[in-house]
Amino acid sequence: MFFFFAALVGLFSFTFAFPTPVDYVTRMASTDNVGNKLVFCHFMMGIVSNRENASDYDNDMKRAKDAGIDAFALNIGTDSYGDTQLHYAYESAANNDMKVFISFDFNWWQASQASEVGAKIAQYASHPAQLMVDGKVFVSSFSGNGVDVDAIRSAAGSEIFFAPNFQPGQGDFDKIDGALNWMGWDNDGNNKAPTAEQMVTVADSDKTYEDALQGKAYIARLALVLHSLRSRGLLQQELGVPFRPPLV
């Protein structure tokens, strides 16, 4: 069965409470989340090391659910506080009728750690908040080309629906159930602003992934670029950092 997943990815999409609703997120989610499409929001666990209990995640879960988000992709590295925060996030998701799943960040995990990745999946596989697809534990990643997928499946101890961020021509697409394409905007092929001489469009990247997947599940990234002065002001007010457009 073919699935198409739309991924809403952002560092702070629901991590911080903005003083007014983020209307463009609500409109996108409520109109596009139809049929067998699922909408995910990437959640960076590395910036919430100081949360003290599951209720600290409740606002994130409630706002995401209200916006039509189906699940949070919990991006994890190998931080010492990782399990504590994962436990809180899973518990909050269960308490708020949300779903979550682990996305392994291979900026920190190593391709040689396949057994450890599988063991981490096993820790949360039976949790009521775990997202299941086709009756399997859903798992994703950032990067991870070269990791031993068979070893992950063996260590997980249960069936997994593995849709990592493998790159066509680098990761083994025969071993996975789907893939996440991290490219959300046109660029020069090196994640820099495109030029007249060098341009790779999102459509080009979509086609490359679709060809590699041959009908398997595809997670397409939607990157929200906050262009309006109002949005920039909210970022500056809430986060205390200047607005920096992507690819600059």
Side-chain angles (χ1 to χ4, degrees), residues 14 22 48 64 75 90-91 94 119 187 215 232 234 236:
F14 294 96
V22 188
V48 290
N75 175 285
Y90 267 84
E91 285 301 304
N187 62 55
R232 297 183 192 191
L234 288 177
Q236 292 169 347

Side-chain angles (χ1 to χ4, degrees), residues 101-219:
F101 61 90
I102 298 176
S103 177
F104 292 88
D105 192 329
F106 279 88
N107 277 325
W108 308 105
W109 293 86
Q110 303 299 313
S112 60
Q113 292 181 288
S115 294
E116 290 92 332
V117 169
K120 186 67 65 181
I121 294 168
Q123 281 184 247
Y124 298 91
S126 61
H127 198 285
Q130 171 64 48
L131 178 69
M132 307 292 287
V133 171
D134 283 354
K136 303 173 184 177
V137 177
F138 189 85
V139 184
S140 190
S141 77
F142 174 74
S143 194
N145 296 310
V147 69
D148 187 336
V149 178
D150 289 335
I152 291 176
R153 294 187 189 278
S154 177
S158 56
E159 285 193 288
I160 66 172
F161 193 106
F162 191 42
N165 171 226
F166 283 4
Q167 283 78 49
Q170 299 182 49
D172 188 349
F173 276 61
D174 290 335
K175 298 285 188 178
I176 61 179
D177 303 292
L180 162 65
N181 180 2
W182 202 255
M183 181 175 164
W185 45 74
D186 298 347
N187 62 55
D188 68 347
N190 295 299
N191 203 32
K192 302 293 183 181
T195 65
E197 296 77 25
Q198 195 165 357
M199 163 80 80
V200 178
T201 68
V202 172
D204 293 335
S205 184
D206 286 339
K207 180 65 164 56
T208 300
Y209 268 86
E210 288 167 359
D211 289 346
L213 286 165
Q214 298 183 355
K216 293 181 179 179
Y218 179 43
I219 308 176

Side-chain angles (χ1 to χ4, degrees), residues 12-14 16-22 63 226 231 234-235 238-239:
F12 308 104
S13 297
F14 294 96
F16 293 86
F18 290 102
T20 53
V22 188
R63 294 186 69 210
L226 304 179
S231 296
L234 288 177
L235 280 177
E238 292 299 310
L239 306 182

Side-chain angles (χ1 to χ4, degrees), residues 51 54-63 92-93 95-96:
R51 294 193 175 187
S55 64
D56 287 342
Y57 286 87
D58 285 352
N59 189 51
D60 301 306
M61 301 298 171
K62 291 173 182 176
R63 294 186 69 210
S92 176
N95 293 339
N96 290 283

